[in-house]
Amino acid sequence: MSQSPSSAPKPSRNHQDYYIHRARASLRHTLSWYNNLHHRRPHPDVELQAALQNELEVLQFSLDKLDQSVIRIATFGLVSRGKSAVVNALLGQKILQTGPLHGVTQWPKSVHWTPGGEGKVQVELIDTPGLDEVQGEARAQMARQVVSQADLILFVVAGDITRTEYQALSELRQAQKPLILVFNKIDLYPEQDTDAIYQQLQELGTGNPRDRRLQKMLSPEEIVRVAAEPSPIQVRVELPDGNVSYEWETLPPQVDELKQAILKILNREGRSLLALNALFQARTAQVNIAQKTVAQRKTEAEDLIWRFAKYKALAVALNPIGVLDILGGTVADLALIRSLSRLYGLPMTSYEAGKLWRKILISSGGLLLGELGSSALLGMGKSASAVVSTVDSIGGITAYAGVAVTQAGIAGYGAYTVGHAAQVYLEQGCTWGPLGASRVIQDILNQVEPDMILYRLRQELGQHLS
């Protein structure tokens, strides 16, 4: 018997390649399902297909990113902190424009970088506009959108953290991406001042003294010091004839500490970051697809739920055998769940429908359990009334009718409740299953080792799956 992907044994070596394989299989399965969905419908919904086009493109983009194995590192920060200079220093050549004026970087720019290391990964460095650029809210918003595609974030500062930078850091933290805090322009400070500022920055990683919200996102090991574009220094030159001249000398960038920090992350968990980010993007796209589909099919779904509620109520009312009420009502609820899944274009087997029904039953706060109990008690009363009606036709029929109407109302309301609860679960259900994005994400997070960045973030990353 074949094993499902979620239960297959994990390879003893190179788990990261295994995660990439699982993520790729999940995305291909999802794309194949949604791309072929309109072929399975008797009457394709062109309007819905158009509404889902953006989400389908996101899924394809995520798959392409996995196939290309390109890790994206986005650089953020306020204006004049030297973001472009940091990228140039990592590249070893001046590719991006830098200068003393604010807002030199007008749009996000990406360049390829080959950092070397054991992983031999491909890296794309993304430079973004300053988050606080004057009259640049549109560009700042665009810069924030870049973080959704980034696998690693470099946040560049040039001294002690300002209030605006702290707010920006807190906002970036919500993306739950690994982050390196880059303390740039250390050449402008005396060594004593540099050490003091560096110590203050490290306190962000320990959560002291101001706010512990950054503690899990940032550790002291992810704070590095660089001089991406050192200011020229004046050098005294003694000539052979005894004269003295002064020349300006440009010093080489000091970014080795940053390179090593990046390489350490890429070699140890770069491909895991790539897989997780692609899966989170895919999961968001799938949830959006489900939400749009549910909204588009709202009228049809409401009619379907009411139709099942009426059928269930009528069947329960007319059935004289009480013990069959519970069985018949359960079958009707399961049929409703499967009918809704077919209406939304979501795959669901009878077994999965049963699991969902039990989950709804347990999470209903006793409402549906009360329906089952009431159905059992009223069913016995209805059966007794049916027996009495054979002896005393008028009294028995009256009693039977009263119990049947009450039971039918309860059963119909129960079906209505199940239908609307199923709608909520079906919006999220598309991301579970052996190849669902949520299942693969959970499997990866469960295998993360304690000394990795992802281990610190996995609790909050896991909360996104709730």
Side-chain angles (χ1 to χ4, degrees), residues 66-84:
L66 277 180
D67 290 338
Q68 296 164 7
S69 295
V70 177
I71 295 178
R72 286 179 168 83
I73 302 178
T75 307
F76 288 90
L78 307 189
V79 295
S80 298
R81 297 315 193 254
K83 300 183 299 298
S84 299

Side-chain angles (χ1 to χ4, degrees), residues 16 19-20 23-24 27 61-72 121-122 149-152 178 266 269-281 444 454:
Q16 294 196 69
Y19 300 151
I20 290 288
R24 188 181 290 118
L27 287 171
F61 173 83
S62 299
L63 179 58
D64 293 341
K65 187 169 179 284
L66 277 180
D67 290 338
Q68 296 164 7
S69 295
V70 177
I71 295 178
R72 286 179 168 83
V121 296
Q122 299 183 61
Q149 300 178 7
D151 304 295
L152 175 65
L266 296 186
E269 48 191 317
R271 293 172 70 78
S272 298
L273 293 173
L274 183 62
L276 278 176
N277 192 45
L279 288 166
F280 270 111
Q281 284 186 288
I444 294 176
L454 283 175

Side-chain angles (χ1 to χ4, degrees), residues 24 48 59 67 94 100 115 147-148 152 214 230 266 276 303 311 351 371 387:
R24 188 181 290 118
L48 178 60
L59 289 172
D67 290 338
K94 191 168 183 178
V147 75
S148 66
L152 175 65
L214 293 171
L266 296 186
L276 278 176
D303 292 342
Y311 290 160
Y351 174 71
E371 181 211 340
V387 173

Side-chain angles (χ1 to χ4, degrees), residues 111-224:
V111 290
H112 289 283
W113 177 43
T114 306
E118 298 176 4
K120 297 181 180 179
V121 296
Q122 299 183 61
V123 177
E124 184 177 313
L125 297 174
I126 305 174
D127 187 25
T128 63
L131 294 175
D132 61 336
E133 188 173 348
V134 177
Q135 297 180 347
E137 179 57 30
R139 287 191 295 270
Q141 177 64 27
M142 179 177 55
R144 286 190 288 267
Q145 291 174 352
V146 174
V147 75
S148 66
Q149 300 178 7
D151 304 295
L152 175 65
I153 295 172
L154 305 182
F155 193 87
V156 182
V157 299
D160 195 11
I161 290 286
T162 66
R163 180 181 298 274
T164 303
E165 285 172 323
Y166 190 78
Q167 291 173 348
L169 265 174
S170 298
E171 290 176 5
L172 287 173
R173 177 187 177 277
Q174 296 176 7
Q176 299 302 326
K177 301 291 180 71
L179 185 146
I180 296 177
L181 184 62
V182 182
F183 176 15
N184 189 24
K185 302 186 180 183
I186 59 173
D187 58 298
L188 301 181
Y189 298 91
E191 183 176 352
Q192 184 176 0
D193 291 346
T194 300
D195 292 340
I197 295 173
Y198 182 63
Q199 180 63 37
Q200 290 176 350
L201 294 177
Q202 284 186 316
E203 289 179 352
L204 291 174
T206 60
N208 294 316
R210 291 183 291 182
D211 197 336
R212 296 184 179 274
R213 289 181 298 170
L214 293 171
Q215 183 174 2
K216 292 183 179 179
M217 179 190 71
L218 195 64
S219 75
E221 289 75 22
E222 277 92 54
I223 303 173
V224 299

Side-chain angles (χ1 to χ4, degrees), residues 1 55 60 100 111 118 120 133 208 213 220 225 244-245 278 304 379-380 391 398 445 465:
M1 184 174 66
E55 281 71 25
Q60 186 62 57
V111 290
E118 298 176 4
K120 297 181 180 179
E133 188 173 348
N208 294 316
R213 289 181 298 170
R225 291 177 282 191
V244 175
S245 67
L304 180 66
M380 289 187 293
V391 180
T398 301
L445 293 178
L465 305 179

Side-chain angles (χ1 to χ4, degrees), residues 7-79:
S7 61
K10 307 296 186 296
S12 57
R13 298 171 58 186
N14 206 349
H15 282 193
Q16 294 196 69
D17 286 338
Y18 175 72
Y19 300 151
I20 290 288
H21 172 74
R22 287 286 309 279
R24 188 181 290 118
S26 174
L27 287 171
R28 286 176 177 169
H29 172 77
T30 302
L31 268 171
S32 175
W33 172 263
Y34 287 115
N35 283 331
N36 296 325
L37 180 60
H38 66 283
H39 295 304
R40 295 192 295 269
R41 292 188 182 278
H43 304 289
D45 191 331
V46 178
E47 183 179 349
L48 178 60
Q49 198 72 16
L52 302 181
Q53 187 60 38
N54 182 65
E55 281 71 25
L56 294 176
E57 290 176 357
V58 170
L59 289 172
Q60 186 62 57
F61 173 83
S62 299
L63 179 58
D64 293 341
K65 187 169 179 284
L66 277 180
D67 290 338
Q68 296 164 7
S69 295
V70 177
I71 295 178
R72 286 179 168 83
I73 302 178
T75 307
F76 288 90
L78 307 189
V79 295

